[in-house]
């Protein structure tokens, strides 16, 4: 099969022929129809803390069609349209049976540890990590499920309630998804902060109330309090850059919650004293489970399809290396998807 392969010599992708996957017990082969390019893929290409090995096939925001099944698979069949949790695991432990891939000691994420990701025509996964797509949803919708599930985990952990004032830091896919879930959860007002207005229209399409960019002589805490009418009850830290946690602590109300699905790839520091004085809670979140994939699919199926505004381009496999390079620099894209077929 053909795939976009990462080569460490030039730190770039190249389209090459690689081995076709063969399913073992409990496994399926997916024909990839869409795979989103994630910011973490771009970071790994730069070698920030974690890096792709030579020959890795990146991609973990996948939707596609089941085309082959291994022994013992009866939960899906050939032809099923699915969104895929991007793991290969043992399939037998308590964590696997409970739909918690990161709890499996043998779990490996697509694009790393020799596991082929979604920048390819086919990929291998466990049948238990396939979530059915209803007929109302496209494969593009299916590839949005993974980033939506990342932010859904943060929203669930935050304890968000109807009427809450919410600040989302960062207007990338994870930040926009957090704003979406805040609105779905009944937040009273939602503001998104970013370094520029490049993605303001996307954020407005999702239903936010205010879009904040830096102003001279004004802090984010001041701007967000003005935009929301008071200090936020909840801050979703989705920027993942040094200094973000300190800004989140400064902005949150006393007793508020900071949920962080964004992750900083370099050492960061913040002032614990300020968090203590505010009695702020900070919770870091990591990926998702099958239930969160199902909730995300259900929200889209119910007609809440505002996240489609995040999709800015779809490219074929031959164009994937150039699209990937464009995203590594400053650009006006948000969610670019690869269409291998």
């Amino acid at each position: 099969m053909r795939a976009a392969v990462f080569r460490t010599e030039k730190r770039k992708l190249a389209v090459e022929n690689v081995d076709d996957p063969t399913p073992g017990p409990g496994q399926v082969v997916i024909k990839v129809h869409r795979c989103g390019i994630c910011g973490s893929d771009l970071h790994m290409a730069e070698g920030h803390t974690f890096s792709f090995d030579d020959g890795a096939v990146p991609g973990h925001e996948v939707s596609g069609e089941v085309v082959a099944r291994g022994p013992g698979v009866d939960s899906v069949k050939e032809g099923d349209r699915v969104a895929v949790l991007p793991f290969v695991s043992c399939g037998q432990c308590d964590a696997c049976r409970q739909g918690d891939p990161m709890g499996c000691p043998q779990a490996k994420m697509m694009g790393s540890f020799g596991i082929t990701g979604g920048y390819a025509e086919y990929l291998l996964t466990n049948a238990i990590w396939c979530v059915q797509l209803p007929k109302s949803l496209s494969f593009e919708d299916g590839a949005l499920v993974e980033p939506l599930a990342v932010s859904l985990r943060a929203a669930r952990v935050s304890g968000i309630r109807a009427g809450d004032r919410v600040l989302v830091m960062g207007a990338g896919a994870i930040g926009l998804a957090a704003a979406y879930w805040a609105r779905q959860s009944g937040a009273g007002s939602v503001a998104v902060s970013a370094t520029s207005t490049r993605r303001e229209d996307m954020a407005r399409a999702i239903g936010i109330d205010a879009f904040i960019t830096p102003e001279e002589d004004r802090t984010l805490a001041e701007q967000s309090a003005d935009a929301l009418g008071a200090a936020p009850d909840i801050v979703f830290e989705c920027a993942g850059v040094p200094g973000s946690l300190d800004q989140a602590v400064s902005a949150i109300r006393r007793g508020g919650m900071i949920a962080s699905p964004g992750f900083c790839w370099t050492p960061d520091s913040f002032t614990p004293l300020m968090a203590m004085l505010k009695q702020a809670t900070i919770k870091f979140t990591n990926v998702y489970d099958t239930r969160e994939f199902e909730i995300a699919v259900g929200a889209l199926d119910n007609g809440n399809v505002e996240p489609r505004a995040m999709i800015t381009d779809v490219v074929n496999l031959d164009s994937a290396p150039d699209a990937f390079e464009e995203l590594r620099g400053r650009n006006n894209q948000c969610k670019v998807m690869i269409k291998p077929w």
Side-chain angles (χ1 to χ4, degrees), residues 31-97:
K31 180 179 181 180
V32 179
H33 282 268
R34 295 292 188 278
C35 182
I37 298 176
C38 178
S40 61
D41 297 339
L42 304 174
H43 280 291
M44 289 182 71
E46 298 296 334
H48 295 168
T49 309
F50 300 101
S51 180
F52 292 123
D53 294 330
D54 187 60
V57 178
H60 56 269
E61 300 178 1
V62 177
S63 67
E65 174 189 354
V66 177
V67 293
R69 296 183 292 171
V73 173
D74 55 16
S75 58
V76 294
K77 63 184 183 302
E78 285 85 351
D80 282 354
R81 303 163 66 254
V82 294
V84 183
L85 280 76
F87 297 91
V88 173
S89 66
C90 79
Q92 302 296 323
C93 68
D94 287 345
C96 286
R97 289 196 295 268

Side-chain angles (χ1 to χ4, degrees), residues 13-317:
L13 297 176
V15 177
E16 301 177 8
N17 289 317
V18 301
D19 292 339
D20 291 339
T22 301
Q27 296 180 331
V28 294
V29 174
I30 304 296
K31 180 179 181 180
V32 179
H33 282 268
R34 295 292 188 278
C35 182
I37 298 176
C38 178
S40 61
D41 297 339
L42 304 174
H43 280 291
M44 289 182 71
E46 298 296 334
H48 295 168
T49 309
F50 300 101
S51 180
F52 292 123
D53 294 330
D54 187 60
V57 178
H60 56 269
E61 300 178 1
V62 177
S63 67
E65 174 189 354
V66 177
V67 293
R69 296 183 292 171
V73 173
D74 55 16
S75 58
V76 294
K77 63 184 183 302
E78 285 85 351
D80 282 354
R81 303 163 66 254
V82 294
V84 183
L85 280 76
F87 297 91
V88 173
S89 66
C90 79
Q92 302 296 323
C93 68
D94 287 345
C96 286
R97 289 196 295 268
Q98 293 166 8
D100 175 22
M102 290 298 285
C104 174
Q106 298 181 37
K108 296 179 180 179
M109 193 168 190
M110 291 174 186
S112 58
F113 304 104
I115 303 300
T116 297
Y119 297 8
E121 292 176 329
Y122 299 99
L123 58 78
L124 182 73
T125 188
N126 301 78
I128 56 175
W129 306 133
C130 294
V131 173
Q132 298 274 0
L133 287 177
K135 293 181 179 179
S136 66
L137 301 186
S138 68
F139 285 116
E140 290 178 9
D141 295 326
L144 284 175
V145 170
E146 195 274 348
L148 286 174
V150 170
S151 293
L152 175 58
R153 167 64 61 91
R156 297 178 80 189
V157 163
S158 76
I160 188 171
R161 297 176 299 179
D164 279 346
R165 297 181 176 91
V166 175
L167 170 64
V168 178
M169 297 174 59
I174 302 305
L176 294 176
Y180 170 76
W181 292 118
R183 187 55 75 206
Q184 291 295 306
S185 300
S189 51
V190 181
V192 171
S193 69
T195 57
S196 75
T197 59
R198 287 177 299 150
R199 296 183 179 129
E200 181 174 0
D201 288 346
M202 300 175 205
R204 298 283 184 189
I206 283 173
I208 68 164
D209 300 289
F211 195 90
I212 298 169
T213 54
E215 295 179 14
E216 190 174 354
D217 299 327
R218 297 193 75 204
T219 66
L220 177 61
E222 293 168 337
Q223 289 180 270
S224 60
D226 285 349
L228 297 170
D233 303 292
I234 294 173
V235 174
F236 292 107
E237 194 289 286
C238 304
V241 297
S244 294
L245 278 178
D246 232 4
Q247 283 192 308
V249 170
S250 295
I252 197 72
R253 69 162 172 82
R254 179 173 167 80
M257 163 68 74
I258 298 166
S260 181
F263 50 96
C264 189
W265 292 72
T266 57
D268 189 16
S269 61
F270 74 104
T271 308
L273 174 65
M274 295 305 299
M276 181 271 288
L277 291 174
K278 287 191 170 183
Q279 291 190 161
T281 299
I282 303 174
K283 288 190 176 181
F284 296 92
T285 59
N286 178 234
V287 298
Y288 30 68
D289 56 25
T290 52
R291 180 56 183 148
E292 284 150 345
F293 257 57
E294 291 165 351
I295 292 170
V297 167
L300 295 171
D301 187 38
N302 286 335
N304 302 308
V305 294
E306 294 86 353
R308 289 175 178 170
M310 294 192 287
I311 303 172
T312 51
D313 202 3
V314 178
V315 301
N316 61 32
L317 195 57

